[in-house]
Amino acid sequence: MKVAFTSSDGTIVDQHFGQAREYCIWEVGTDTAEFLTKVTPLMTDGDEEDRTAARANAVAECSIVYTVQIGGPAAAKLVARKIHPMKTGAEVPIGDAIAKLQQVLKGNPPPWLRKAMGGVAAPSLSADE
């Protein structure tokens, strides 16, 4: 699944969603993670709602956006597009965020995350294993 990170340098989640100039997009699976690209929202001279829409459009293909902070209206716009905002609350290395996400993916992910993964259920262990 595609995951966006608000980062000023491509290595640390260190930006507020509404202040990020670009988003680092990664493809993240249970055992692999690959940097894909950086995207920049097409900003207009419109009001805050227009700027929020431009940011949401920039990450439209992502299932999750990791950010230090995000306001309620912006979070609601993402959720309406089936993009889950994840607030870190502090600066976090992107690699650490990916590792934690992969641990959740390998375990029993919550329903919203299973849906974001395309309905892929977590592997089940038989009694023999």
Side-chain angles (χ1 to χ4, degrees):
M1 86 180 104
K2 289 184 181 174
V3 180
F5 298 90
T6 58
S7 178
S8 63
D9 66 1
T11 62
I12 298 175
V13 178
D14 63 354
Q15 299 283 298
H16 184 289
F17 179 78
Q19 296 170 348
R21 292 182 183 211
E22 60 187 11
Y23 303 92
C24 297
I25 310 297
W26 285 69
E27 182 70 37
V28 178
T30 55
D31 296 311
T32 61
E34 177 184 3
F35 173 76
L36 298 177
T37 190
K38 288 184 182 180
V39 295
T40 304
L42 297 173
M43 300 309 281
T44 65
D45 291 332
D47 61 11
E48 186 63 31
E49 188 168 328
D50 291 339
R51 289 189 294 273
T52 300
R55 293 177 190 288
N57 287 338
V59 297
E61 294 184 14
C62 297
S63 299
I64 301 172
V65 174
Y66 278 84
T67 184
V68 173
Q69 286 292 339
I70 186 169
K77 279 204 183 305
L78 291 181
V79 170
R81 294 170 181 243
K82 299 185 180 5
I83 303 168
H84 192 79
M86 296 288 289
K87 292 192 292 186
T88 61
E91 292 185 4
V92 175
I94 289 174
D96 290 358
I98 290 171
K100 285 182 181 179
L101 175 59
Q102 288 176 320
Q103 284 303 108
V104 172
L105 294 175
K106 289 177 186 176
N108 187 17
W112 69 265
L113 188 51
R114 283 195 301 271
K115 190 172 185 177
M117 294 167 51
V120 177
S124 60
L125 298 176
S126 69
D128 301 351
E129 295 179 40

